[in-house]
């Protein structure tokens, strides 16, 4: 796929998810499935005092970055690919009225959903912006913490995303995202399956490559911490990502074999030097 084709496929997938959530706010969706029991997204916010039930139901993530980012009162936070707004709203409560939580998304339907969820939660120190994570519409050195939840893997130009994250962070700012990472390489034939890309798998970076690219972008102290792995039963439940168009010479069983143990949810940390 071209970069524009990837953007279009991702936008279409998430616009459909947002429309579903707007029409049926109690229906859970995820980046990898329309099922609330999807193994990548299930159970991430259990026990959390979420500010909006609708935002929780529409959560599309693979982690809970707000629980790991150690946000402080008065900080300015930016969520790359904010979707239905759950992590923005959680961040807004953590930074308090002297801080601001910003959400960035390229999908109009997601922005509509996020703003509806913000109104439902009654949170005032949150702002949602339209744009891409490769070209962040915010000033240099305006943010203390970058968060993201299973979105950077969807970008066709991850170096641009990391460069933009570094640009908008203040000196000493933190990069603290949940994402899918590869633990070993996967066959090239699987990289071209649209459903595996929009489903957060085939566009993911190798864990060591993620760390290296953060360093190339100017970050220090980069590390990847695996937070959830997936077994063959999980892969079988996620098989709808492949769809009906298998690569030539491949069966669904062969694809599951190739992906078994190949990817995981992870928390990725780095820092911009002071």
């Amino acid at each position: 796929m071209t970069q524009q084709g990837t953007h279009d496929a991702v936008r279409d997938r998430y616009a459909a998810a947002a429309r579903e959530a707007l029409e049926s706010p109690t229906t859970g969706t995820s980046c990898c499935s329309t099922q609330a029991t999807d193994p990548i997204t299930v159970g991430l916010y259990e026990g959390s005092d979420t500010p909006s039930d609708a935002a929780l139901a529409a959560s599309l993530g693979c982690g809970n970055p707000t629980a790991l980012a150690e946000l402080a009162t008065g900080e300015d936070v930016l969520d790359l690919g904010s979707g239905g707004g759950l992590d923005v709203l959680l961040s807004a409560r953590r930074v308090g009225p002297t801080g601001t939580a910003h959400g960035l998304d390229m999908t109009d339907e997601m922005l509509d959903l996020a703003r509806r969820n913000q109104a439902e939660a009654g949170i005032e120190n949150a702002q949602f912006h339209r744009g891409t994570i490769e070209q962040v519409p915010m000033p240099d050195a305006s943010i203390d913490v970058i968060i993201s939840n299973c979105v950077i893997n969807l970008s066709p130009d991850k170096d641009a995303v990391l460069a933009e994250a570094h640009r908008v962070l203040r000196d000493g700012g933190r990069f603290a995202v949940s994402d899918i990472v590869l633990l070993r390489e996967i066959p090239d034939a699987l990289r071209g399956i649209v459903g595996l890309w929009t489903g957060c798998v085939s566009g993911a970076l190798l864990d060591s490559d993620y760390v290296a690219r953060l360093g190339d972008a100017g970050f220090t102290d980069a590390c990847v911490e695996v937070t959830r792995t997936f077994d063959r039963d999980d892969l079988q439940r996620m098989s709808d990502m492949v769809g009906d168009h298998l690569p030539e010479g491949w069966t669904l069983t062969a694809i599951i074999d190739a992906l078994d143990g190949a990817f995981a949810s992870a928390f990725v940390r780095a820092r911009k030097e002071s």
Side-chain angles (χ1 to χ4, degrees), residues 36-255:
T37 56
D38 178 75
I40 286 182
T41 197
V42 69
L44 301 176
Y45 296 89
E46 289 179 352
S48 298
D49 182 16
T50 56
S52 165
D53 290 341
L56 177 61
S59 175
L60 310 178
C62 57
N64 181 353
T66 60
L68 300 170
E70 299 178 353
L71 302 178
T73 299
E75 289 188 316
D76 296 315
V77 182
L78 172 62
D79 183 8
L80 300 178
S82 49
L86 176 60
D87 292 318
V88 175
L89 302 181
L90 286 169
S91 297
R93 293 205 311 194
R94 288 174 184 258
V95 301
T98 57
T100 305
H102 298 268
L104 174 66
D105 206 280
M106 67 176 180
T107 308
D108 290 330
E109 292 88 344
M110 279 297 182
L111 292 168
D112 290 342
L113 176 61
R115 290 170 180 140
R116 189 193 71 177
N117 292 335
Q118 178 184 3
E120 175 192 295
I123 289 177
E124 297 183 354
N125 62 322
Q127 299 177 20
F128 292 95
H129 312 271
R130 191 183 191 283
T132 69
I133 62 176
E134 296 88 0
Q135 293 181 302
V136 177
M138 301 195 73
D140 295 356
S142 58
I143 296 296
D144 296 300
V145 186
I146 295 281
I147 65 170
S148 186
N149 199 344
C150 211
V151 173
I152 295 175
N153 69 80
L154 298 171
S155 171
D157 189 353
K158 296 171 181 62
D159 290 334
V161 176
L162 300 182
E164 282 290 87
H166 190 270
R167 177 185 67 80
V168 301
L169 278 173
R170 297 180 175 121
D171 289 348
R174 308 188 303 283
F175 179 90
V177 311
S178 294
D179 213 352
I180 295 293
V181 299
L182 294 179
L183 304 179
R184 57 175 169 78
E185 292 290 357
I186 62 174
D188 288 342
L190 302 188
R191 294 279 190 179
I193 299 177
V194 174
L196 283 178
W197 189 290
T198 62
C200 309
V201 175
S202 67
L205 291 174
L206 197 66
D207 51 358
S208 57
D209 190 23
Y210 215 136
V211 170
R213 290 184 188 224
L214 282 165
D216 290 342
F219 286 97
T220 62
D221 302 326
C223 65
V224 174
E225 175 190 350
V226 171
T227 55
R228 179 177 288 183
T229 58
F230 307 100
D231 60 24
R232 292 185 67 86
D233 288 341
D234 294 328
L235 290 170
Q236 190 66 50
R237 293 201 297 275
M238 294 158 55
S239 61
D240 63 312
M241 290 189 293
V242 176
D244 298 326
H245 303 291
L246 299 177
E248 185 176 356
W250 285 81
T251 64
L252 181 58
T253 298
I255 290 175

